[in-house]
Amino acid sequence: MSAHELEPTADWSQLYIDGEWCGASSDETIAVENPSKREAFTSVPAASEADVDAAYEAAEAAQPDWAETPRDERTEIVQNLLTQLNDHYDEITTLLATEAGTPSYRATAEFATATGDLKMALNLEAPDEEVRQSPSIPDKDNHVVYEPVGVVGIISPWNFPLHLSLRALAPAIALGNTVVLKPATDTPITGGLLIAKLCELAGVPDGVVNVVTGRGSAIGDRFVEHPAARVISFTGSTAVGKGVAEQAGRNLALPALELGGNAPFIVTDEADLEKAARAGAFGSFFHQGQVCISINRHLVHESRYDEYVDSLVEHAQSLNVGDPSEDDRATFGPVQNETQRDDLIEYVEATLEAGATLETGGDAEGLFVEPTVLSGCTNEMAAACNEHFGPIAPVIPFADDEEALELANDTEYGLSAAIQCEDEERARALADGIDAGMVHINDQPINEDHNAPFGGVKQSGLGRYHGEWIVDELTEPKWISVQHDERDYLIFE
């Protein structure tokens, strides 16, 4: 495959089903836009329910042979996929900049995380077969074996499309499952069709990975409810995720959900303030705040409040706003779409009407929403109580650690959090008191390591990604007992 075939303007007009590039069952297409320019640069097929059925049928037919493929052969395929990913770094980062408005440093970070997804998958193993003697029946051995769940449906979001598709796809195929992938409508290439092309180059067998692009309103229900799916991996909002869980449950498919967040960032009176402000700015403005684990609320001790706000404003104003598809120096790009922009401006306006002060930002030009800092905020204000998913930094004061924890936990979400405090014992006590699946001390909350469980509590999801935790999601234990000597069934004389 030439580099030209991975360019933004390449032919992306077909679905990938059963190892073949094929047209959708209808002629309808979806325009794919560059959010910086707000111009379409290509189009992709709008799949129908019939296309979803075809993809699942291919995955279901391919799964038994793939499960029986020796682990070292599956590992070789995953290694080939990693090689293809690395070989096409330039084309992939260009696609991310064009389709997802990704600044170059952010594209590099996503690429590194995506390669990490594949490296992790190379080392994943289902647990070894266990043999346990029956505690109640003489001469009986209980064998516990772990098998692939079967077919995994993946719905990935637009904010980290490459990584958040591969995060589920790579371990799924490594463990002997097959996949049907539906990427987000805003990022169907980097979240789906690009991965299909790389799988084709890597020699992934026909039917093991299938990709359908389409609108959730048209194919989402069928995708989630398809009887072939045994796991549905979904990353997105809590509102949609609850519907996904309900639909998957109708077929007793396992919902693996990473949902919304409202990350608190606690800055204590013992924090290194400049370090805290740099971390706070990164945690709020990385990828324009379009991260489920970005800082949603800055909780700052009242004795350091004014100084922290001033420093945060300086960092916000230092960002280089630009079109990532044209300017490698841009460190701050557009938000993904008009709906996102409009919601963000409404949150800012409502928060100001409630009594907050605008320290910087607050406006938008096109899809470029200014890095925004709001002071004088409370937990009840719109920019704080909602998952705003954008470059807004509401700053809320607190008097003591007890109040900090009360504020931090006053949300339906529990995905990620972070604490800035030089006293690590005190910081650990705060971390233990926060209701979140992930807490980071003397850092900000945008972290992901492949040897640590990634996921949330409360309304932030079900299950965990990475390592042995994703193995639990993608394999099933099976009990095989062996009776060595004839058993006395007692009811016979």
Side-chain angles (χ1 to χ4, degrees), residues 152-404:
V152 179
I154 301 171
I155 302 174
S156 60
W158 49 256
N159 59 328
F160 283 80
L162 178 67
H163 158 49
L164 293 177
S165 292
L166 287 175
R167 180 177 69 175
L169 183 150
I173 65 172
L175 292 166
N177 302 288
T178 54
V179 164
V180 181
L181 168 63
K182 193 201 95 59
T185 307
D186 283 324
T187 51
I189 298 173
T190 48
L193 296 176
L194 163 67
I195 293 170
K197 288 191 176 184
L198 296 176
C199 286
E200 183 181 33
L201 290 171
V204 175
D206 296 351
V208 171
V209 173
N210 306 272
V211 178
V212 291
T213 56
R215 294 182 177 87
S217 58
I219 63 173
D221 288 350
R222 182 59 178 166
F223 190 96
V224 174
E225 293 179 350
H226 198 283
R230 303 315 310 141
V231 171
I232 294 292
S233 170
F234 172 81
T235 303
S237 72
T238 294
V240 176
K242 286 181 176 180
V244 168
E246 180 180 354
Q247 291 173 302
R250 291 174 190 156
N251 286 317
L252 299 183
L254 176 72
L257 309 175
E258 190 229 303
L259 305 178
N262 188 328
F265 180 67
I266 297 176
V267 180
T268 69
D269 54 337
E270 294 183 314
D272 179 324
L273 202 70
E274 181 50 36
K275 183 175 74 173
R278 285 196 303 271
F282 180 90
S284 273
F285 304 127
F286 176 77
H287 193 39
Q288 300 78 256
Q290 300 173 118
V291 192
C292 55
I293 51 177
S294 65
I295 298 171
N296 209 81
R297 294 166 295 148
H298 298 248
L299 309 180
V300 182
H301 192 273
E302 58 191 15
S303 68
R304 315 298 300 279
Y305 187 88
D306 291 341
E307 186 181 357
Y308 179 84
V309 169
D310 290 344
S311 187
L312 188 63
V313 167
E314 289 180 12
H315 287 297
Q317 293 175 342
S318 72
L319 294 168
N320 184 15
V321 179
D323 178 354
S325 65
E326 292 186 347
D327 185 1
D328 287 342
R329 298 168 301 171
T331 57
F332 189 91
V335 298
Q336 188 65 43
N337 53 51
E338 285 82 359
T339 300
Q340 184 70 7
R341 175 204 59 201
D342 294 347
D343 287 347
L344 290 167
I345 296 304
E346 287 181 15
Y347 287 143
V348 171
E349 291 175 350
T351 302
L352 294 176
E353 289 173 4
T357 299
L358 180 66
E359 298 287 347
T360 189
D363 204 354
E365 181 176 348
L367 295 184
F368 289 86
V369 177
E370 294 176 336
T372 299
V373 178
L374 301 167
S375 65
C377 295
T378 67
N379 242 17
E380 295 73 32
M381 292 179 178
C385 66
N386 294 287
E387 182 191 22
H388 52 65
F389 215 69
I392 303 173
V395 190
I396 302 169
F398 67 85
D400 53 34
D401 289 1
E402 182 179 359
E403 185 183 12

Side-chain angles (χ1 to χ4, degrees), residues 101-136:
T102 304
S104 60
Y105 79 95
R106 219 285 285 152
T108 300
E110 179 167 2
F111 188 90
T113 310
T115 59
D117 295 327
L118 289 161
K119 291 175 182 176
M120 173 197 66
L122 289 172
N123 297 309
L124 287 185
E125 294 280 359
D128 292 334
E129 180 174 338
E130 301 175 54
V131 181
R132 304 176 180 181
Q133 227 175 14
S134 171
S136 56

